[in-house]
Amino acid sequence: MMLANQGDLLPVSAFPPDGTWKTGTTKWEKRNIAVDIPVWDEFICIQCNKCAFVCPHAAIRVKVYDHALLAEKPITFKSVPFKGTDFKGDAYTVQVAPEDCTGCGLCVEVCPAKDKANPRHKSLELASQAPLRAAERDNFDFFLALPDPKRSRVSLDVKGSQFLEPLFEYSGACAGCGETPYIKLMTQLFGDRLMIANATGCSSIYGGNLPTTPYTVNHEGRGPAWANSLFEDNAEFGLGMRLSLDKHAEQARELVAELSATVGDVLAEALLKADQGDEPGVFEQRARVLELRAKLAGVDDPRARSLLELADYLVKKSVWIVGGDGWAYDIGFGGLDHVLASGKNVKILVLDTEVYSNTGGQQSKSTPKGAAAKFSVGGKATQKKDLAMLAMTYGNVYVARVAFGARDAQTVQAFMEADSYPGPSLILAYWHCIAHGYDLAQGANQQKRAVESGYWPLYRFDPRRVAKGESPLKLDSSPPKGRLVDFARNETRFRMVEQQDPARFRVLMDEAQEEIHTRWATYEQLALAMTPRAKTDDGKGA
């Protein structure tokens, strides 16, 4: 009734009393807004999976599966033999959801596969949606019914991660959004053990836009847990999730120890000493929890009943605090800083558009020098706050700056390292936004320009490297090259300033260019200075 604009007719009794809402409901919207959708040429595809990786709406997907399952495929369903060794002998398909695709074209732009005989022809090209809709709808339904590979078989890299079911799909974010690919990736990497505390902003609007939500569940009925909080307290909200999980896990472990004779000493020890540092480890722990439940079933002991309620907390959970730059740099910074200083095992993802995107385009402390925004229409005169540098000063916080359009492998690596780090982690993710003022089909290309110009340097700060005799700061992008102004002129937020006052624009760009080189030199010096000194025989620094 809400989708039919008749929500005002619903009685209070129709709403869930506990505030929870059914997930996986965006799949019923079928907006059909794309004029053109991607068409796959399977014969020149190199099976890199980059198209699925960048899709903002999980509307183009890839699968590997047994050839035998093609016996009853629709007549227009496409497949080819998989080229890799990890799924040797299986079939491979790239499939679009025609009624959920927004036609943004990002997948086509990032596709690297070209016909050698005709380099203008790529493995993915846009074609009119209307004549393809019916056939591709049937193809997508067949595709979804194909089984997903077991998580324990998949490599968690750019290619492998896209064989995992996205538990964030068909969101109502802007066509070509640069933010949602990060969230989709997060659900693929961490699956149903993911818990998200989401600050108010774009990510909370498309994340919980009643009556539908893009967060969904896997074939076992499990999915991420998501809740929205305010600008000012989301970091503390997420920390509360972590503390609650830790307490429940502590209670579960105590009960396992107390009931070791009942469940078996071997199983009890395995549960308590499980290494859950990777997907196979998590998979094995889940199998142990199932065995534990079977052994406790029917046991007449209040401790056993309590352990049955708490058993799932023995499986590692990944808690992520998510929000935009307005939250992280400005209104919620005090809470974010508090959480970073806590030392607790929480992960923070800052989706950085460098402006208050959802509330009308006001400047934030993340807005770069020279860009126009509300309250700085003539171009922001001060440089961007370096949140990553502030976080690194704690020394025990994992910090990364990523941009999937520039280096997708580094993005995945940063997420995996952040999840495995036993303390607070902060990822600053650059994303192209409609507020920047250009065709978002070029979003990945503009991300590359941002990194190449030094506007958005890529790096990872991992305190664990110190124990290996390495610098904790690793620069993942090359020194700045080219002119910042060439990057800036691709975006309306900068061109507006130049059109209003060319002289002021030149001054701001010259200052920003100098600041880029100064910042890069600072990072280079830090990476060198942080390298542990060699030890002499007496254990003192050389």
Side-chain angles (χ1 to χ4, degrees), residues 44 47 183 244 301 321 336 374 417 534:
I44 60 175
Q47 302 182 6
I183 298 177
S244 177
D301 185 328
I321 300 170
L336 183 143
K374 289 183 179 178
E417 289 177 349

Side-chain angles (χ1 to χ4, degrees), residues 412-429:
V412 175
Q413 186 176 9
F415 272 91
M416 295 302 297
E417 289 177 349
D419 177 65
S420 67
Y421 185 70
S425 300
L426 172 68
I427 294 181
L428 300 176

Side-chain angles (χ1 to χ4, degrees), residues 183-375:
I183 298 177
K184 176 170 65 77
L185 174 65
M186 194 163 58
T187 69
Q188 290 171 304
L189 295 178
F190 311 125
D192 60 6
R193 62 184 182 87
L194 175 64
M195 294 185 69
I196 299 174
N198 205 137
T200 295
C202 283
S203 54
S204 75
I205 302 305
Y206 59 64
N209 187 22
L210 297 182
T212 61
T213 176
Y215 288 98
T216 188
V217 296
N218 58 24
H219 66 282
E220 297 175 333
R222 294 179 172 180
W226 180 93
N228 167 228
S229 190
L230 305 174
F231 256 140
E232 62 269 24
D233 69 354
N234 186 58
E236 297 94 327
F237 183 56
L239 177 60
M241 288 184 177
R242 178 78 266 171
L243 296 177
S244 177
L245 284 171
D246 290 347
K247 188 60 180 178
H248 282 79
E250 178 187 338
Q251 292 174 325
R253 294 174 65 84
E254 289 173 354
L255 289 169
V256 168
E258 291 179 18
L259 295 169
S260 59
T262 302
V263 303
D265 292 336
V266 174
L267 176 59
E269 183 176 9
L271 283 164
L272 296 175
K273 295 184 178 180
D275 180 2
Q276 300 185 66
D278 54 21
E279 280 299 312
V282 173
F283 179 81
E284 291 168 4
Q285 183 73 342
R286 281 197 162 145
R288 296 187 195 102
V289 169
L290 288 176
E291 184 181 354
L292 172 67
R293 288 187 175 280
K295 291 193 174 186
L296 291 176
V299 175
D300 187 17
D301 185 328
R303 296 175 301 171
R305 291 192 291 272
S306 294
L307 183 51
L308 280 172
E309 292 182 359
L310 296 167
D312 285 335
Y313 291 99
L314 295 168
V315 178
K316 178 184 177 182
K317 305 293 190 294
S318 190
V319 177
W320 285 80
I321 300 170
V322 176
D325 51 279
W327 160 69
Y329 286 73
D330 289 358
I331 298 174
F333 173 70
L336 183 143
D337 183 60
H338 170 72
V339 171
L340 290 176
S342 73
K344 298 297 181 181
N345 188 16
V346 293
K347 317 304 168 188
I348 301 170
L349 173 62
V350 179
L351 300 160
D352 197 344
T353 61
E354 304 183 316
V355 71
Y356 282 84
S357 301
N358 184 58
T359 56
Q362 299 88 352
Q363 73 164 6
S364 75
K365 293 187 183 70
S366 176
T367 302
K369 175 175 285 191
K374 289 183 179 178
F375 310 130

